[in-house]
Amino acid sequence: MSENQATGIGEKISSLLFLIGPFVLLWGFFWLVPLIGSFEESLSLSPQLVGKIASEEQFTLMNYGRALNDGKFIKSLENTLIFVTSTVAITLSIGFFLACALFGIPKLLRGFSLFLLLIPSLALPGTLANLFYLFFHGKSGALNQFLIIPLGLEPINWMMNPSWILPCLIFQAVWRWTGLITLLLYCGMRAIPSWQFEVARLEGATSWNRLSTIIYPGIKHLLFFGGIFLFVDGVASFSGAYNLLGGSGGVLDSGLLFVTYAYQVAFPGGAGRFDLPLATAMCILVAVFTVLISWFCIHFHKQKHRQEW
Amino acid sequence: MVRQLITRICLAFMLLLSVYPFLWMILSSFKTNREIYNPSQLLPQFFDPFSYRLLLSGEFIDFYEVLLRSVLLSGGQAILACLVTAAVGFALAKGRFRGKMILTGVSLLVILYPKQAMNLSLFDWMASMEMTGSSYSLLISGVASGLGVLFFTQVFRKIPDELMDLARVEGESLGESFLCFLPLVKPAMITYCILHFFLCWQDHLLPLLILGAEQLTLPLALAKLADSSYRIPEAVGLAAGVMAMFPLLALFAIFFRQIRTALSDWVVS
């Protein structure tokens, strides 16, 4: 190897270290090492079982078994699944509709309307929960006053009725994220070349034709991206439910989400048990499941996209 | 015509649903508890800013300190994350080296692994390293963002390869080229900075675990103010909510056009 080549390789390595080094270092220290540590923790003996089992049984997958046999954990997973699927479906549908609707108003008003729609996304989840509790909740709350009573129905006690707690959490999440998804889809629609709409107009295409042959194909990747984002965020949802239900799962645990329960198991206070090994086992189970689902979705989406081309 | 009218009415309803509760929140921050518990009453009887006085007096929380901590924490993390992930994005978009797929996979994994599920592990690890209770450790823990890496990879892919060739002919290394090209992606940098600031600003669980009850950030302070066991007037919590929204609203209002343009460009790429 000549001296010039050696210098070139040295420069390349130092450049890569400069560009990638900080990220890899921080990722390793704050992501990879804690993940390995948490796996080790999930295999360790729970403080609640000290003295109850023989020492040779300590390093087993016992905590994973305990998690899967925990009725409250399963309940929290069911709630989280309903919460996530409903939030993704409703938010994407409303976001798509609003992004289309924005093109039907004068250009001057679009930016302003979009900004107004974004306001709930910009508020802290705690603020949203507090607002939700004070504004929408109760017999005299806005939902009852403006929606339920005018329909001639009995006022609903949203946060005390087990059937309505989860829909409230879903409503709150939809309310929070719709603006951001609308912004994303609107930007996607703006990026569709205008000649496509011009050609459609000349061809006499109907609104449905335009929607199905130009708009949807133009933003379907963004819809997918938005769906994945909402899915991962929904699984990890904590702040809104924590503020709204005061760290509990609500009446009959009907609003108990997975992260809230893991937090309850890990730390004392309220229903807390200070059982970190069990909580980390729960987190790993759910996280691995989430990553696998997302990964498969991305993989199939990519494959389908390739076939189209 | 009828369809357009219906669409506009629906849009107006959604705008009302977005804005009205916040308008109510701003007006309710001047109300008494009794008036607040009657949500159909929009206007307060008197515009007395007693809740703002109480909030800023430090009787319940030191709001200035909380606000400053949140701004520094979110701002510092956003700027660092922007620089660190832009560098990786540039290397992935324009560099030629082995392991690009692995690095992209790692970034994707960081996005897909639910953050809150990671927080318990992170807390455990930081506690064992005696790093809890420090704002600095919280600040650097969120810098390695997978979203940032993927965002900047797409952004730098749009820079023509001819410019890279030119830089190479001029004898510039990959690292030097990155520093040269940074000004070209300023709108994307600002956009990502704001998006990261926004995500960090709203983070609740990790600050709760790492900082504890002594060093509150805004989400923790709001949870404390809303906690009925402290018997704090509701208007004080609402006033804190109003004030907590202003920094983000101002950032988005100032840079909204740039964010929209950068997102449209990113979507195209």
Side-chain angles (χ1 to χ4, degrees), chain A residues 32-165:
Chain A
L32 188 63
V33 176
L35 190 69
I36 295 168
S38 76
F39 185 65
E40 199 185 327
E41 176 82 45
S42 72
L43 298 177
S44 67
L45 183 66
S46 158
Q48 298 204 336
L49 297 178
V50 173
K52 291 182 184 169
I53 59 165
S55 59
E56 63 266 24
E57 289 176 61
Q58 283 179 10
F59 291 93
T60 62
L61 297 174
M62 182 186 287
N63 290 320
Y64 291 90
R66 286 176 64 213
L68 293 172
N69 287 321
D70 185 339
K72 237 176 152 181
F73 177 60
I74 302 296
K75 171 86 179 163
S76 74
L77 287 186
E78 282 171 10
N79 286 345
T80 306
L81 192 67
I82 298 170
F83 173 77
V84 168
T85 45
S86 311
T87 305
V88 171
I90 300 171
T91 309
L92 288 182
S93 310
I94 299 179
F96 183 75
F97 169 77
L98 289 175
C100 291
L102 281 171
F103 282 93
I105 59 171
K107 256 188 180 178
L108 270 174
L109 286 176
R110 283 182 206 167
F112 183 63
S113 306
L114 204 51
F115 185 72
L116 293 184
L117 285 171
L118 262 179
I119 289 177
S121 309
L122 301 181
L124 290 166
T127 307
L128 289 186
N130 200 11
L131 198 50
F132 192 92
Y133 193 82
L134 292 171
F135 185 70
F136 291 112
H137 172 62
K139 286 191 176 174
S140 55
L143 279 180
N144 279 322
Q145 287 295 322
F146 302 134
L147 189 72
I148 304 299
I149 296 173
L151 288 173
L153 302 170
E154 275 292 300
I156 298 167
N157 201 347
W158 302 94
M159 299 315 299
M160 295 307 285
N161 185 335
S163 318
W164 286 105
I165 292 178

Side-chain angles (χ1 to χ4, degrees), chain A residues 18, chain B residues 90 156 159 163-164 167 170 172-185:
Chain A
F18 166 67
Chain B
F90 182 75
F156 280 114
I159 290 182
L163 279 180
M164 276 304 292
E170 292 281 331
E172 287 194 346
S173 68
L174 197 64
E176 286 166 338
S177 306
F178 166 66
L179 295 176
C180 277
F181 290 147
L182 265 186
L184 294 181
V185 294

Side-chain angles (χ1 to χ4, degrees), chain B residues 29-91:
Chain B
S29 61
F30 298 96
K31 291 178 188 169
T32 59
N33 271 7
R34 198 174 172 169
E35 289 171 304
I36 287 171
Y37 292 138
N38 180 18
S40 46
Q41 180 188 340
L42 182 63
L43 293 171
Q45 204 173 0
F46 305 105
F47 275 93
D48 179 9
F50 72 98
S51 56
Y52 290 91
R53 273 199 303 272
L54 267 176
L55 178 70
L56 300 177
S57 71
E59 191 179 330
F60 306 113
I61 51 165
D62 190 342
F63 191 74
Y64 290 118
E65 195 188 306
V66 169
L67 188 66
L68 186 68
R69 183 175 296 114
S70 279
V71 169
L72 291 179
L73 201 67
S74 309
Q77 195 182 87
I79 291 168
L80 277 178
C82 193
L83 292 173
V84 167
T85 58
V88 184
F90 182 75

